[in-house]
């Protein structure tokens, strides 16, 4: 597998994996490669720095395997602290975030559900949102 840094027509840079350079070119020419942030299909290779794996790491991962569980645990702990200090608003998230941004309601820490399209709209409107690293379910649901 080959990792490519790609850029969409609106300037988002993202990473994608392909079996070969020809597989990338084939999929791009058939308009099968889209930006995961804005769904733009105008994709080109971005300038990238080489990703050199540590010696002896055959998978090409840049983080040694023994560090990954600690890193994930730290992310989970940080997310838990954020969620403990914020209010679950469920599907009302896009409307509440937009209303706070426009000054129609007081600022507060909230979290909830939104579709990728709704999140894209919020970002395009300048509403500051932060995706969480792990999926969040309603407080009444057991993870």
């Amino acid at each position: 597998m080959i990792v490519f840094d790609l850029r969409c027509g609106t300037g988002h840079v993202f990473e994608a994996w392909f079996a070969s350079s020809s597989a990338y070119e084939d999929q791009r020419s058939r308009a099968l490669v889209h930006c995961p942030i804005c769904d733009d299909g105008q994709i080109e290779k971005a300038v990238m720095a080489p990703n050199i794996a540590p010696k002896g790491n055959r998978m090409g991962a840049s983080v040694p395997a023994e560090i990954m569980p600690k890193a994930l645990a730290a992310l989970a702990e940080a997310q838990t602290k954020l969620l403990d200090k914020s209010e679950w608003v469920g599907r009302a998230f896009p409307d509440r975030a937009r209303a706070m941004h426009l000054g129609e309601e007081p600022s507060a820490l909230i979290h909830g559900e939104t579709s990728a399209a709704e999140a894209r709209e919020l970002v395009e409107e300048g509403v500051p949102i932060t995706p969480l690293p792990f999926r969040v379910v309603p407080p009444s649901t057991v993870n």
Side-chain angles (χ1 to χ4, degrees):
M1 292 299 256
I2 300 173
V3 64
F4 289 95
D5 280 345
L6 303 176
R7 180 186 322 271
C8 73
T10 59
H12 299 119
V13 177
F14 59 97
E15 192 176 88
W17 293 75
F18 296 90
S20 64
S21 291
S22 61
Y24 160 73
E25 291 299 338
D26 176 59
Q27 291 180 38
R28 188 181 64 79
S29 69
R30 293 188 297 148
L32 298 175
V33 182
H34 289 260
C35 175
I37 300 164
C38 67
D39 202 35
D40 185 11
Q42 187 178 5
I43 304 297
E44 62 184 32
K45 289 182 185 175
V47 176
M48 60 186 272
N51 184 4
I52 302 171
K55 186 175 181 176
N57 187 341
R58 290 181 278 150
M59 293 302 291
S62 57
V63 178
E66 63 273 6
I67 294 176
M68 190 56 72
K70 291 178 184 175
L72 290 174
L75 275 174
E77 182 180 347
Q79 179 169 309
T80 299
K81 286 180 182 176
L82 286 171
L83 296 177
D84 286 346
K85 296 179 182 185
S86 66
E87 174 192 359
W88 170 261
V89 295
R91 290 290 308 143
F93 179 82
D95 294 332
R96 293 276 308 273
R98 188 175 285 112
M100 283 187 260
H101 178 70
L102 296 173
E104 297 169 354
E105 88 176 53
S107 293
L109 295 175
I110 62 170
H111 65 279
E113 300 175 40
T114 186
S115 69
E118 290 169 325
R120 240 188 329 272
E121 288 173 8
L122 290 170
V123 169
E124 288 169 358
E125 293 172 24
V127 178
I129 62 170
T130 303
L132 296 171
F134 302 107
R135 185 173 182 271
V136 177
V137 295
S140 60
T141 305
V142 177
N143 276 339

